[in-house]
Structures are given as C-alpha cells and as structure tokens.
Amino acid sequence: MMEKGAVFPLFYLPPIEYFSNLLIHKENILFENAENFQKQSYRNRATIHSPNGKLDLIVPVIKGSKSHTKVKDVRISYDFQWQRMHLMSLQTSYRSSAYFEYYEDDLSIFFEKKWNFLFDYNEEVMSLILRFLKLNIQFKYTETFEKSYQDLTDFRDIIHPKHNSLIHFKPYFQVFEERNGFFPNLSIVDLLFNQGPQSIKYL
C-alpha cells in the first residue's frame, strides 16, 4: 500500500521515532504551524542519556496565555542561561562518544545565538538534523489548523513524552549503557553522537 503522507509537529531535537516515521512518509509531509502550543510535549523538550540516567533538556518559554497561544507565537525565555546548561549537559553526556566532535561545531550555534520564537528555533534545528542524516524529505507547512486529517497519518499527539513508542528499537551502543542500561527512543542526537553516519541505516 502506498503511504499517503503524514502531519508532524516541529520538535526540539526530536526523539528517534520521529525520524523513523519521517522516513516512512518522506514523500509527503506536512509540518504543523497553525496549532496551539502544547506544554510538556517534545515541542520544547528533548531527552538525552546523561551519566546519571535520562535527562530532559527543556527550552523555557515566556509565560503567556496558558494553552491558547499559537505555536508560531510562542517566545523563548532567556531569564536564565538554559543554552549554556543544555550545551554543558550534551558535552558531559556525549564528549566521549564516537561522533560528538563531528557534529559539535554545527550544533553549538543553537546554544550561542538567540532566537525569539520557539517555532523558528525548532525549524532550524530540524533542517540541520535532516542535513546530518542526509535525509531528503518533501514537506509543506499547514496553512490552517485541522482537528483531524482523513488521508494523512497524524503524529501531532502520538509522539509524546507520556506515550510509549509503537516502534521496537534495537539496542545500539550508548556511552553510559554499562552504568544505566540501554534507553530506547531518546533524542536523535543520542543516535547521531553514538552512530554517526550509520544513523540513517538504524532508522
């Protein structure tokens, strides 16, 4: 059966299952830009494998009208130095991984430059990761918010920190696996830092 396509939200350093699904639907992808912002979702958080276990990296957003802010209007807060903290967490967690240095320079701009809007930030993070993966996808953006789609698979609520992934993940080497065990479906950077150019084969 031919895949008809899918609609995805834009996430910050999305989890591995996000890219596995992008790959399946890569001929016809819609990125959601008309939805309301969802708190406690991957839209502003990523999970990595730190020396002490799973660690959530959260991009703080400026408190506005609680849940009815359009995702494109959500502003990033710089009240504390979260960029420095995220970069240090990534360095502590992955400096000894096989490919960290290979990607570090390109990624570091996201922890130095300031973006006003979360959506723009996520959009540029996404474009860099697609480049890392050498993944060419055909995508457009939604123009209006649709509650549901007839002929597109809808990943806007499926891929969520509180939901278990429907995909079974084969283990791959992780830096602190001996200490903490293997964690499936972490942020794509976990896969990239550990597997490098082989990441796309894993997906």
Side-chain angles (χ1 to χ4, degrees):
M1 191 184 107
M2 234 179 84
E3 290 295 346
K4 289 183 178 168
V7 58
F8 288 84
L10 276 182
F11 288 161
Y12 169 57
L13 300 174
I16 292 166
E17 67 171 313
Y18 185 98
F19 291 94
S20 293
N21 286 304
L22 269 188
L23 205 53
I24 293 168
H25 299 280
K26 68 178 187 218
E27 302 307 322
N28 179 18
I29 283 169
L30 269 183
F31 283 132
E32 173 63 80
N33 73 359
E35 66 176 358
N36 286 338
F37 177 65
Q38 288 187 29
K39 289 192 300 190
Q40 294 182 327
S41 74
Y42 287 121
R43 285 158 185 79
N44 67 325
R45 77 174 56 208
T47 308
I48 63 169
H49 192 157
S50 82
N52 303 318
K54 284 188 185 181
L55 175 67
D56 283 343
L57 303 179
I58 297 170
V59 178
V61 297
I62 289 173
K63 305 285 181 281
S65 47
K66 292 282 186 284
S67 55
H68 297 298
T69 309
K70 285 269 179 268
V71 73
K72 288 205 75 161
D73 298 331
V74 171
R75 288 175 176 271
I76 297 174
S77 166
Y78 294 96
D79 286 351
F80 71 94
Q81 292 185 316
W82 64 269
Q83 285 172 298
R84 183 160 178 265
M85 197 182 82
H86 285 203
L87 183 59
M88 285 171 68
S89 299
L90 288 168
Q91 287 167 341
T92 305
S93 303
Y94 297 109
R95 185 173 272 127
S96 62
S97 67
Y99 295 96
F100 181 71
E101 287 182 354
Y102 187 73
Y103 298 112
E104 183 182 18
D105 286 352
D106 284 334
L107 265 174
S108 62
I109 185 163
F110 291 102
F111 306 105
E112 290 159 5
K113 188 180 148 188
K114 285 185 165 55
W115 274 258
N116 289 323
F117 292 96
L118 179 70
F119 190 88
D120 299 340
Y121 185 65
N122 286 351
E123 193 175 32
E124 291 199 42
V125 168
M126 170 63 78
S127 123
L128 179 65
I129 290 171
L130 291 174
R131 208 172 84 219
F132 285 165
L133 291 167
K134 297 188 168 58
L135 180 52
N136 287 319
I137 60 168
Q138 306 296 317
F139 68 87
K140 294 179 181 150
Y141 290 98
T142 57
E143 288 171 15
T144 54
F145 178 73
E146 304 291 337
K147 216 169 173 143
S148 61
Y149 285 89
Q150 288 296 300
D151 48 3
L152 294 177
T153 309
D154 188 346
F155 288 102
R156 293 173 299 178
D157 295 319
I158 293 173
I159 302 174
H160 193 281
K162 293 191 168 69
H163 301 168
N164 288 327
S165 172
L166 302 173
I167 298 172
H168 173 71
F169 295 94
K170 274 202 326 254
Y172 56 87
F173 174 79
Q174 291 176 333
V175 179
F176 298 105
E177 191 178 342
E178 276 191 15
R179 188 187 305 187
N180 303 319
F182 174 77
F183 295 134
N185 201 27
L186 296 175
S187 165
I188 190 68
V189 294
D190 186 84
L191 183 64
L192 282 164
F193 293 151
N194 288 304
Q195 298 293 305
Q198 296 301 308
S199 299
I200 192 74
K201 285 190 180 148
Y202 179 86
L203 295 173

